[in-house]
Amino acid sequence: MDAGKLLGRGLSFPPRVGPDGRLQWSEGERNVRESIQVILTTQQRERILLPEFGGSLGQYLFEPNTVTTRHQLAERITRALAQWEPRIAVESVSVEEDPRDARAATAIITYKLVATGARERISLGVTLAG
């Protein structure tokens, strides 16, 4: 099984240069994880040719770190991934206060790869106001 053909290939994120001086590519599960990160950290209207793309999590930068804000974050993550990442089926999204930083939250996303049925999990830190 070729993971790149099954789950896709693309430039790595963040962009990396390999030992040969060329840009590196990612494929398979790693490419999906990188895509999730790109979707969630891109602000809507940031891409000129695709202005509705992105999760716009940065808009929560000055919001209080409350249960309500974390619930809104979880809903936004779920909607953005459902719209922009067809290779996964989101099973759950939980956003919890970061115990080490009162101004931060951690989103834990559990999803299933549509092509293989494999379950994956990714976490993403979100900075809030506190």
Side-chain angles (χ1 to χ4, degrees), residues 4-129:
K5 286 184 180 177
L6 188 62
L7 296 171
R9 287 187 178 92
L11 285 176
S12 63
F13 182 81
R16 296 181 293 278
V17 177
D20 61 357
R22 299 172 73 181
L23 287 175
Q24 290 190 329
W25 291 73
S26 68
E27 63 180 37
E29 293 89 353
R30 182 177 186 163
N31 183 258
V32 173
R33 283 191 303 275
E34 290 174 356
S35 174
I36 291 169
Q37 185 178 6
V38 167
I39 291 165
L40 297 178
T41 58
T42 300
Q43 292 296 109
Q44 290 180 340
R45 294 179 300 285
E46 184 175 332
R47 291 192 174 182
I48 294 171
L49 298 178
L50 195 55
E52 35 317 304
F53 179 83
S56 290
L57 298 187
Q59 83 174 33
Y60 292 93
L61 180 59
F62 298 109
E63 295 296 322
N65 193 352
T66 63
V67 172
T68 300
T69 301
R70 293 191 299 270
H71 180 73
Q72 290 171 349
L73 275 165
E75 286 179 353
R76 180 169 291 261
I77 289 167
T78 302
R79 282 193 316 270
L81 293 178
Q83 181 175 5
W84 297 109
E85 186 46 85
R87 298 176 291 179
I88 67 170
V90 175
E91 294 186 335
S92 68
V93 177
S94 67
V95 181
E96 302 297 329
E97 188 174 15
D98 186 334
R100 299 176 310 262
D101 184 355
R103 298 173 299 144
T106 303
I108 300 171
I109 304 153
T110 305
Y111 59 93
K112 187 186 295 186
L113 294 169
V114 173
T116 65
R119 284 193 167 78
E120 300 281 334
R121 187 175 169 166
I122 186 172
S123 63
L124 178 73
V126 182
T127 302
L128 305 167

